[in-house]
Amino acid sequence: MPVYKTRPQAEAYGYCTGILLLDYQGPFVPGDVGNADTYDYPVLFKVVEGATYPRVFTGDPELEPAIIKAAQELEAQGVKAISSDCGFFLNYQDVIAKAVNIPVCASSLLQVPFVASFLGKSKSIGVITADSTALSNHMIAKTGLDNDRKLVIKGMQEQPCFDKQIMQEGDELVTEDIERETVEVALEMQRENPDLGAIVLECSMLPPYSKAVQEATGLPVYDFITMIDYFQRGTHQKAYDTPRHYY
Amino acid sequence: MPTYSTRRGAYSYGHAVGILLLDAKAPFIPGDVANATSYDFPVIYKTVEGLSTSVCLNGAPEFNEKLAEAAKELAREGVKGISSDCGFMLQFQEAVADAVDIPVCMSSLLQLPFIARSLDPSQPIGVITADSTNLDEGFLTRGGVKLPPNPLIIRGMQDEPEFKTAVLEEKGSLDSDLITAETVACAEKLLAEYPTMGAILLECSMLPPYAKAVQDAVGLPVYDFISAIDYLSAGMRPRAYTGGY
């Protein structure tokens, strides 16, 4: 019979992924990284106090201690992997990974080189981000993407509804508005880059619209949720309990 | 109402991933890449005639064209992504990806840089492969895998009696209890030698059935061929979210 030990810092058990949250309030709709019902497994959220998105976008080093502390608290609660709800947490990927002993996927952008590796060498890879002016070459380099892969970046910051409802921390979010704008940006990217092979959505508030983007462009679309699901899979291997005669 | 057009070259529809198979005969049990029940989505298989396990493991650039053609046929049938049932098919990644317009993940080994990025660079990554005599850093680099800063510890199953006879020598039967024990022992040895190990990657397409046993034994993240194919497919099967608020 298995023996289980108390985890002193755990209030409750069974959380799979721990998710660091920006200090941000907005409606997190189903499909958003910050909505618990997005996942097929339980996740544990933890707000990093003071981590406003402008500070995270620029990688403010003064936030590091608070981020590390939050990540270590999630680990002590028993989560098996750590993620976040902002692709710009890429700025803190390395310090978090150093501070804990579980896998860390702090940013959807970490997928960019993996997805690029699926594509023929003549294809470009696209990133749709909340704010393209904040996504520096230095950050792209941090993903590990090869220099010879063509990368196309488009931002949502000039889309009126995205700006008002998301960037300005509006009280209301109309999913039809954000979906329309995201699809428009994706189609524009595809028109301007006929060699586009796949799209990665940086922003944690965009996965609800991945399906619309995929259907409009016909391209593979990866987002924060595809990444968190991947690490869930690696940290919770499954039993293949199909009856054995199914072979 | 949507209008659908006939896809010339397709005799059935709805397959998410097309999987190119080695010309090998062994029991592909649930959890194996070549067992259709291993997925939550439909897959379609295509055997590459003449590409035996040993030919593939020893390197077979003469098959580039044949694999590219087979992938194109699968694409014409409407699959949304292409994969394979041997991690050593990494050698065909470039040829196949350049031949089609859909995403291609020919090898479990493509996960290596992604897995490494989730760890601290000081944490070793264990790779358990069918045959460690043919898998080294040069093979990875030639296949386009960017070597991570993490130490890579590569261990092979080629001398494990049941794995060797059932998988590599195709004796015609496979005892999954014995291969579980062999794979778990290999992983436990890896962890004993490298206690700071951060993750284990199973290269071989016949090892995913044992991934859970390995994880239960060593308590580490374990990635395998199925985790790669699931991820490949996820980009082309985005979810509609209907949950609560």
Side-chain angles (χ1 to χ4, degrees), chain A residues 27-31 35 37-40 90 93-94 97-98 101-104 110-111 114-115 117-123 142-146 207-208 210-211 214 218-223 225-227 229-231 233-240 242-243 246-247, chain B residues 27-32 35 37-40 93-94 97-98 100-105 110-112 114-115 117-120 123 144 146 198 208-212 215 220-224 226-228 230-245:
Chain A
F28 295 151
V29 306
N35 183 306
D37 213 0
T38 296
Y39 309 91
D40 295 332
L90 182 61
Q93 169 70 25
D94 296 340
K98 196 175 180 61
N101 283 311
I102 49 180
V104 176
L110 294 175
Q111 300 170 96
F114 191 32
V115 175
S117 74
F118 298 160
L119 306 177
K121 50 183 175 301
S122 65
K123 300 268 187 206
K142 278 176 92 87
T143 67
L145 183 68
D146 271 343
S210 292
K211 188 171 164 58
Q214 200 282 318
L219 295 174
V221 178
Y222 295 87
D223 60 25
I225 306 302
T226 59
M227 177 182 70
D229 281 351
Y230 176 80
F231 285 99
R233 177 56 203 275
T235 50
H236 297 79
Q237 273 290 349
K238 65 179 178 189
Y240 297 92
T242 313
Y246 273 88
Y247 86 94
Chain B
F28 299 141
I29 68 171
D32 192 296
N35 185 299
T37 69
S38 301
Y39 309 91
D40 296 331
Q93 173 68 26
E94 189 180 344
D98 282 344
V100 295
D101 284 325
I102 51 177
V104 174
C105 179
L110 285 179
Q111 298 170 96
L112 203 47
F114 192 37
I115 296 165
R117 204 64 189 83
S118 75
L119 305 173
D120 187 71
Q123 292 177 282
K146 201 168 174 179
Y210 320 107
K212 187 176 189 321
Q215 182 155 70
L220 290 176
V222 177
Y223 304 88
D224 59 24
I226 305 294
S227 61
D230 279 351
Y231 181 78
L232 175 76
S233 165
M236 288 303 278
R237 293 171 59 79
R239 291 161 51 187
Y241 296 97
T242 54
Y245 172 77

Side-chain angles (χ1 to χ4, degrees), chain A residues 98-153:
Chain A
K98 196 175 180 61
V100 298
N101 283 311
I102 49 180
V104 176
C105 55
S107 171
S108 48
L109 294 168
L110 294 175
Q111 300 170 96
V112 171
F114 191 32
V115 175
S117 74
F118 298 160
L119 306 177
K121 50 183 175 301
S122 65
K123 300 268 187 206
S124 62
I125 183 160
V127 171
I128 297 178
T129 171
D131 184 356
S132 57
T133 64
L135 192 53
S136 62
N137 289 337
H138 172 68
M139 287 190 69
I140 294 299
K142 278 176 92 87
T143 67
L145 183 68
D146 271 343
N147 290 328
D148 47 7
R149 173 69 65 180
K150 184 183 159 198
L151 171 72
V152 187
I153 299 173

